[in-house]
Amino acid sequence: MTLMEKEILEQSSVLKSCIEYNLPTFEALAKAVKKKKITNVVIAARGSSNNASNYFKYCFESLAGLPVSLAAPGINTIYNAKLDLSHSLVIGVSQSGAAADAMAVLENAKACGAITVSVTNTLESKMANMTDFHLYCNAGKELSVAATKTLTAQLMILGYFAAYYAKNEQVQKELTQVADNLQKIFDLKPQIQELAQKYKDLNSLIVLARGTNYPIAQETALKIQETTYINARSYAASDFHHGPFAIVDQNYTVLLIAPAGNSQKDMQEMKEKLLPTGAKILVFTNKKELAEGAADSIVYDIEGSDYVTPFYNVVIAQLWALNISLARGLNPDAPRGLQKITITK
């Protein structure tokens, strides 16, 4: 078994432990944020952590009603500019806690007197020690270069905090059920392996989704890129209409991440628009009707709102990327040119 597969299968226990570990911090952080009367949130991250941050943007804005911006750390590190973040909650997300550019955003925030938070998988990291609050992934050491369990731990921590701050008990309850529900995804492994074997010779892939699953499209493309070397690109389905759609013809393969929920109508319309192009269409969904007409699909039998379906879709994507990599004779644990800790400025 590869390290990547081992770490994918550890995600059920990781998701339980990261909620339990951080409950006291969620409470203290929510109180501090409400007391300060923040007007917005700024979140800084790179790579998979940035995809988790984008998921948080959708969760926090829709549940708490406050705007969330994804930081451009180059404002601090390239242009040496300082932003007025005095009325912001500023969050840095990094599995290693060593992301220099995210820490530059946090340093800017601290100088303004903003509330600062870090989300890391390393208790004694520089980032964890520099912030007012630290949310710990509690995922155990992740050895494969490709982030799997640390990514879903970040998603859980950020999604749960959004629901906790908004006092949305229904979403909190749904999130606590994700860990147990993942077994139904793991049970699909033979089907996912078959799909990987079928598509192992892909040269390129387009991945589309909307809403809270758009960051999962981004993460799916990233996992495919780094473990299989296939040219995968992600788009929000709404943006894909505005130009990129023109490139699609019978030579393209398009993956639709299309669960039941708020975005299903848009994803159904996208599928119907793609069918006449002759492109090969794949679908990840929990609603069988959304897969009708597609060349291939993975259909999972788990209901849930838009706040939890991203977890199921991303684990399917992780397993698919892993198995395409193996089918291509590659080592998914050690992609070429990459290392586990990447420090950008």
Side-chain angles (χ1 to χ4, degrees):
M1 182 182 292
T2 63
L3 293 170
M4 184 177 174
E5 181 173 358
K6 178 177 177 292
E7 289 164 357
I8 289 171
L9 297 176
E10 289 173 0
Q11 289 177 110
S12 291
S13 60
V14 167
L15 295 185
K16 289 179 181 178
S17 65
C18 75
I19 292 177
E20 293 168 0
Y21 185 95
N22 290 293
L23 278 173
T25 309
F26 290 143
E27 182 177 2
L29 176 57
K31 286 180 180 178
V33 170
K34 288 176 180 178
K35 182 178 180 181
K36 192 171 178 68
K37 297 180 180 178
I38 66 159
T39 59
N40 64 93
V41 182
V42 175
I43 188 163
R46 295 290 192 194
S48 290
S49 297
N50 193 58
N51 296 335
S53 300
N54 200 9
Y55 165 76
F56 173 74
K57 174 179 172 67
Y58 280 93
C59 292
F60 201 81
E61 289 188 346
S62 62
L63 293 171
L66 289 176
V68 178
S69 63
L70 302 180
I75 295 298
N76 300 105
T77 61
I78 298 176
Y79 298 102
N80 298 313
K82 301 299 178 186
L83 300 179
D84 180 1
L85 301 172
S86 53
H87 298 291
S88 304
L89 168 65
V90 182
I91 305 173
V93 187
S94 165
Q95 64 89 16
S96 66
D101 44 7
M103 284 191 279
V105 176
L106 290 168
E107 286 166 357
N108 182 165
K110 288 179 72 67
C112 296
I115 297 175
T116 57
V117 182
S118 55
V119 181
T120 83
N121 194 41
T122 312
L123 281 171
E124 295 304 318
S125 62
K126 184 177 179 181
M127 185 182 285
N129 288 325
M130 73 182 292
T131 52
D132 301 316
F133 297 90
H134 178 232
L135 293 166
Y136 180 42
C137 293
N138 201 22
K141 191 169 181 63
E142 189 173 63
L143 298 173
S144 181
V145 168
T148 54
K149 63 180 181 177
T150 55
L151 176 277
T152 50
Q154 291 170 350
L155 291 172
M156 182 59 73
I157 287 169
L158 292 166
Y160 198 92
F161 174 66
Y164 190 95
Y165 180 83
K167 298 182 178 179
N168 190 313
E169 294 182 0
Q170 176 57 35
V171 174
Q172 290 177 57
K173 181 180 178 182
E174 274 196 283
L175 287 167
T176 60
Q177 295 169 340
V178 168
D180 289 332
N181 287 338
L182 282 184
Q183 185 56 51
K184 291 185 177 181
I185 303 299
F186 299 148
D187 290 343
L188 294 172
K189 181 181 170 183
Q191 187 179 343
I192 295 169
Q193 287 176 317
E194 183 179 338
L195 192 69
Q197 190 64 36
K198 190 171 181 179
Y199 288 89
K200 67 183 177 66
D201 295 322
L202 269 181
N203 291 316
S204 63
L205 176 71
I206 293 171
V207 189
L208 305 179
R210 277 211 76 179
T212 59
N213 276 281
Y214 168 50
I216 304 310
Q218 295 176 304
E219 179 64 16
T220 299
L222 176 58
K223 282 292 160 287
I224 293 292
Q225 290 166 354
E226 65 184 344
T227 61
T228 74
Y229 314 149
I230 292 168
N231 177 22
R233 289 174 286 167
S234 62
Y235 299 88
S238 50
D239 285 329
F240 199 65
H241 291 288
H242 294 267
F245 192 95
I247 67 174
V248 179
D249 60 20
Q250 68 274 11
N251 298 311
Y252 272 81
T253 299
V254 183
L255 169 61
L256 304 180
I257 298 177
N262 297 62
S263 65
Q264 74 175 65
K265 180 175 180 291
D266 294 324
M267 297 309 295
Q268 175 69 27
E269 289 175 354
M270 175 56 71
K271 184 187 71 175
E272 296 301 328
K273 186 175 179 180
L274 283 166
L275 285 170
T277 68
K280 188 165 287 186
I281 301 170
L282 315 180
V283 181
F284 294 171
T285 185
N286 60 347
K287 191 175 181 65
K288 192 174 181 180
E289 293 84 345
L290 287 169
E292 291 177 357
D296 289 288
S297 62
I298 299 293
V299 181
Y300 54 95
D301 184 22
I302 311 172
E303 293 184 358
S305 72
D306 279 22
Y307 301 103
V308 296
T309 53
F311 291 88
Y312 310 130
N313 291 318
V314 81
V315 175
I316 293 170
Q318 290 170 356
L319 287 167
W320 194 47
L322 163 72
N323 283 286
I324 292 177
S325 178
L326 294 173
R328 288 165 75 95
L330 304 172
N331 179 2
D333 292 332
R336 66 190 181 204
L338 302 179
Q339 54 190 11
K340 186 60 184 172
I341 299 175
T342 303
I343 300 175
T344 50
K345 295 182 180 180

